[in-house]
Amino acid sequence: MSSSPRKIEVRQATSQDLEGIQSLSRVVYASSMSAYSTDVLRGQLHHFPEGQFVCLLGGKLVGYCASIRVEEKMAMRPHTWREITGGGFGSTHRSDGDWLYGMDVFVDPECRGVKIGE
């Protein structure tokens, strides 16, 4: 008898997800950069709640995607990640922005290859 595949669920992130997102960011970015603080994640949710998503695999949080909307002139000019994202807080989000800007996508290293980040 084969085991059934674990269910993949993608939904908007909520404030209840902040601790799990932060923990996952510590794992994902352990060797390359700092994990997200809860303040930064709270800012992302505050500025554009409709643009923040989590992915659950079998009920476990295994992925996160953050985005903002920005004006075309901002998106198309040279910029750094810090500039366009307001230091990661998403404070540059404009509800009438022309472009959806992907701030970040990360997946638990143990779950890579399952196509969660696609």
Side-chain angles (χ1 to χ4, degrees):
M1 183 191 267
S2 65
S3 62
S4 61
R6 293 183 288 174
K7 180 182 176 188
I8 295 175
E9 176 187 358
V10 177
R11 63 166 170 76
Q12 286 182 327
T14 69
S15 59
Q16 289 78 30
D17 296 314
L18 294 178
E19 186 177 316
I21 296 166
Q22 183 184 37
S23 295
L24 182 57
S25 75
R26 275 192 218 107
V27 171
V28 170
Y29 294 128
S31 63
S32 61
M33 56 192 272
S34 299
Y36 280 116
S37 70
T38 53
D39 288 340
V40 167
L41 293 168
R42 197 172 287 115
Q44 292 174 4
L45 280 175
H46 170 77
H47 292 292
F48 187 34
E50 301 87 357
Q52 319 316 313
F53 295 90
V54 292
C55 182
L56 305 163
L57 180 61
K60 178 185 175 193
L61 196 149
V62 296
Y64 180 62
C65 171
S67 64
I68 54 175
R69 289 178 62 182
V70 296
E71 296 175 357
E72 182 175 12
K73 65 181 179 182
M74 181 180 228
M76 300 309 283
R77 72 169 170 76
H79 60 268
T80 67
W81 181 87
R82 284 193 157 301
E83 289 170 336
I84 201 164
T85 66
F89 287 87
S91 59
T92 54
H93 169 72
R94 298 294 172 258
S95 59
D96 60 350
D98 307 298
W99 292 80
L100 182 68
Y101 185 90
M103 291 173 39
D104 204 350
V105 175
F106 56 82
V107 174
D108 185 327
E110 292 183 13
C111 297
R112 291 185 183 151
V114 183
K115 306 220 184 262
I116 289 169
E118 288 188 2

